[in-house]
């Protein structure tokens, strides 16, 4: 049986992950509206990843006999005025999610919930990758985004991203 505080944090994380998916779909729509379909694809794939993260948290709770409660998902309220703004917002959001995962991990550690800590190890590693990818995208944009030809090439590079389901075993 999971500690109540850990269970509550895990359940809250499900909704945070679904919000992340919603946020990245909003970014994807922005880029699609701007004619940057590669950027739109990149964030659409990112949204799929976040949705699957939520499902992994759900499955973990269910596997431990816990009830899952889904809350409403807030509407993203972004108004972007430049191509780089969603990139920076995405990076900041990934840092926020990393903090959430660390909070759950710290609570699990405090409760000596080693099973949950082991489950979260994958997410800790994943968040490192998420932040690195978001930061790398900003760096590429900063290098090439001002040049229309280079932006075209970067957009094509991002269009090649495909979704790969997580391989976490519960």
């Amino acid at each position: 049986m999971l500690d109540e505080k850990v269970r509550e944090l895990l359940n809250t994380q499900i909704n945070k992950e679904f919000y992340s998916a919603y946020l990245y779909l909003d970014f994807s729509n922005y880029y699609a509206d701007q004619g940057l379909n590669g950027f739109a694809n990149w964030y659409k794939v990112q949204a799929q990843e976040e949705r699957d993260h939520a499902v992994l948290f759900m499955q973990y709770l269910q596997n431990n006999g816990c009830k899952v409660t889904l809350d409403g998902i807030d509407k993203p309220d972004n108004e972007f005025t430049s191509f780089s703004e969603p990139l920076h917002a995405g990076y900041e959001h990934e840092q926020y999610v990393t903090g959430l995962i660390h909070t759950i991990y710290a609570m699990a550690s405090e409760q000596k919930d080693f099973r949950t800590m082991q489950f979260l190890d994958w997410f800790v590693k994943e968040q490192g990758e998420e932040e690195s990818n978001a930061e790398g995208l900003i760096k590429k944009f900063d290098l090439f985004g001002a040049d229309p030809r280079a932006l075209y090439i970067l957009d094509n590079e991002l269009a090649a991203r495909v979704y790969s389901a997580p391989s976490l075993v519960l």
Side-chain angles (χ1 to χ4, degrees):
M1 188 77 157
L2 294 178
D3 173 77
E4 184 177 338
K5 293 175 190 172
V6 172
R7 182 188 52 74
E8 286 176 8
L9 287 171
L10 289 166
N11 199 83
T12 298
Q13 190 63 31
I14 293 167
N15 291 291
K16 299 291 186 181
E17 297 290 341
F18 278 128
Y19 174 78
S20 295
Y22 204 46
L23 179 69
Y24 291 144
L25 287 174
D26 189 51
F27 292 2
S28 178
N29 288 336
Y30 167 77
Y31 283 119
D33 289 346
Q34 301 304 313
L36 291 170
N37 294 326
F39 282 81
N41 175 67
W42 199 90
Y43 277 109
K44 198 177 293 180
V45 170
Q46 196 64 27
Q48 290 174 300
E49 284 188 11
E50 303 304 338
R51 181 203 61 222
D52 277 359
H53 293 170
V55 171
L56 288 170
F57 279 104
M58 287 174 53
Q59 190 63 55
Y60 181 75
L61 284 174
Q62 291 167 344
N63 288 350
N64 284 279
C66 300
K67 180 176 172 37
V68 173
T69 304
L70 299 176
D71 292 328
I73 301 172
D74 293 332
K75 177 184 176 205
D77 61 354
N78 298 302
E79 293 291 329
F80 300 119
T81 59
S82 75
F83 296 152
S84 67
E85 287 177 4
L87 305 178
H88 288 278
Y91 180 55
E92 290 172 15
H93 184 73
E94 288 301 338
Q95 290 174 317
Y96 168 71
V97 172
T98 296
L100 295 172
I101 299 294
H102 289 176
T103 298
I104 302 168
Y105 199 99
M107 181 57 69
S109 177
E110 183 180 309
Q111 300 301 320
K112 298 189 182 333
D113 182 349
F114 303 112
R115 187 175 3 153
T116 298
M117 290 166 61
Q118 183 179 27
F119 168 71
L120 291 172
D121 283 341
W122 183 87
F123 287 96
V124 170
K125 180 178 182 252
E126 174 71 6
Q127 280 310 120
E129 292 173 11
E130 297 282 15
E131 285 187 31
S132 178
N133 290 339
E135 186 176 32
L137 192 51
I138 290 169
K139 286 178 181 178
K140 284 182 179 182
F141 186 84
D142 287 348
L143 284 171
F144 307 118
D147 176 5
R149 289 176 296 223
L151 181 60
Y152 176 79
I153 292 169
L154 179 56
D155 191 56
N156 282 327
E157 176 187 320
L158 298 178
R161 184 180 187 199
V162 294
Y163 178 68
S164 178
S167 59
L168 177 64
V169 177
L170 298 177

